[in-house]
Amino acid sequence: DQQVKQNSPSLSVQEGRISILNCDYTNSMFDYFLWYKKYPAEGPTFLISISSIKDKNEDGRFTVFLNKSAKHLSLHIVPSQPGDSAVYFCAASAAGYKYIFGTGTRLKVLA
Amino acid sequence: NAGVTQTPKFQVLKTGQSMTLQCAQDMNHNSMYWYRQDPGMGLRLIYYSASEGTTDKGEVPNGYNVSRLNKREFSLRLESAAPSQTSVYFCASVLQGAYQETQYFGPGTRLLVL
């Protein structure tokens, strides 16, 4: 059973517009969430995180929103740039347990 | 400062052959992980090492062994490779914070088992 789901395998957005990547989870014990970005032939790199005690975390163009009641988090990228084209993974963990990763969403930002 | 390095970058094996994937980090982290990534699936944890000399099974450990001989290096061994082990393998070095951890990934090893 997939505990962390990214239901959109791909997303295309025009440069300058907002990109919204979604992630759903089933385990109510998850209390920490991460987003990673991955370029082809490279390892994932950490992008932004959020703790379950918050509902929003911002870092420059990147904002992560957490809706605990819906077990849903989203990553907003504003404005989107061609260099943001990559695969984005969300990951979740419960205290003392290892991270569970979603299947990834491939974002393509069109110039 | 290279971060996390992995060798080889790419390998082709025949069924039944053995090989060791190497991972090294220069960030002085205690914890290191091995993941595999398959099409349509997220990264799945194979084994992890919380500190030098200790290792534990992750989500998908069958068919693999690991060695953490020193703080820098964490190797993954396939004793008898199978086509189901065709995958991209990522090593991660882990910075343990007070409440959460940050993982730093290597560039990956792409393995094809024929």
Side-chain angles (χ1 to χ4, degrees):
Chain A
D1 180 33
Q2 194 83 21
Q3 295 188 63
V4 178
K5 300 177 185 178
Q6 293 178 257
N7 291 319
S8 298
S10 63
L11 175 68
S12 291
V13 172
Q14 285 294 133
E15 181 179 6
R17 306 295 290 268
I18 184 171
S19 295
I20 301 176
L21 295 96
N22 294 305
C23 181
D24 296 294
Y25 60 96
T26 57
N27 189 340
S28 58
M29 298 297 292
F30 287 148
D31 59 2
Y32 202 77
F33 306 87
L34 306 172
W35 283 94
Y36 280 86
K37 176 178 174 179
K38 184 185 178 304
Y39 292 118
E42 294 184 13
T45 55
F46 171 74
L47 193 57
I48 193 169
S49 64
I50 189 166
S51 162
S52 61
I53 62 173
K54 294 186 172 182
D55 54 19
K56 177 182 173 181
N57 189 26
E58 271 183 276
D59 184 1
R61 295 185 297 114
F62 302 92
T63 303
V64 57
F65 295 91
L66 176 62
N67 182 334
K68 290 187 288 293
S69 60
K71 296 192 181 68
H72 176 83
L73 67 155
S74 60
L75 174 69
H76 292 210
I77 306 173
V78 183
S80 301
Q81 299 173 354
D84 296 329
S85 297
V87 177
Y88 290 79
F89 291 98
C90 64
S93 78
Y97 291 88
K98 301 306 173 190
Y99 280 94
I100 304 293
F101 282 79
T103 53
T105 295
R106 184 179 303 276
L107 173 65
K108 188 170 184 180
V109 179
L110 307 169
Chain B
N1 186 341
V4 181
T5 57
Q6 291 184 238
T7 55
K9 285 187 168 52
F10 180 72
Q11 184 73 46
V12 180
L13 291 178
K14 294 181 179 177
T15 296
Q17 287 185 315
S18 62
M19 80 161 292
T20 300
L21 283 66
Q22 306 285 355
C23 175
Q25 54 96 1
D26 60 5
M27 294 177 282
N28 203 36
H29 293 160
N30 287 321
S31 298
M32 297 180 75
Y33 297 171
W34 274 106
Y35 289 94
R36 61 178 287 174
Q37 186 197 1
D38 302 295
M41 305 191 77
L43 283 81
R44 291 183 293 168
L45 185 64
I46 305 171
Y47 269 94
Y48 65 98
S49 170
S51 62
E52 181 181 346
T54 69
T55 61
D56 286 287
K57 293 179 180 179
E59 183 186 352
V60 288
N62 290 345
Y64 305 95
N65 286 302
V66 289
S67 294
R68 183 82 183 274
L69 297 177
N70 54 60
K71 195 170 188 177
R72 285 191 68 247
E73 297 170 299
F74 188 35
S75 61
L76 178 73
R77 181 159 179 85
L78 287 71
E79 290 291 351
S80 178
S84 61
Q85 294 178 302
T86 293
S87 188
V88 182
Y89 291 85
F90 290 102
C91 174
S93 181
V94 184
L95 174 64
Q96 297 285 356
Y99 302 104
Q100 73 280 339
E101 59 183 43
T102 302
Q103 301 183 31
Y104 298 86
F105 286 87
T109 293
R110 188 175 296 273
L111 177 65
L112 175 62
V113 183
L114 301 174

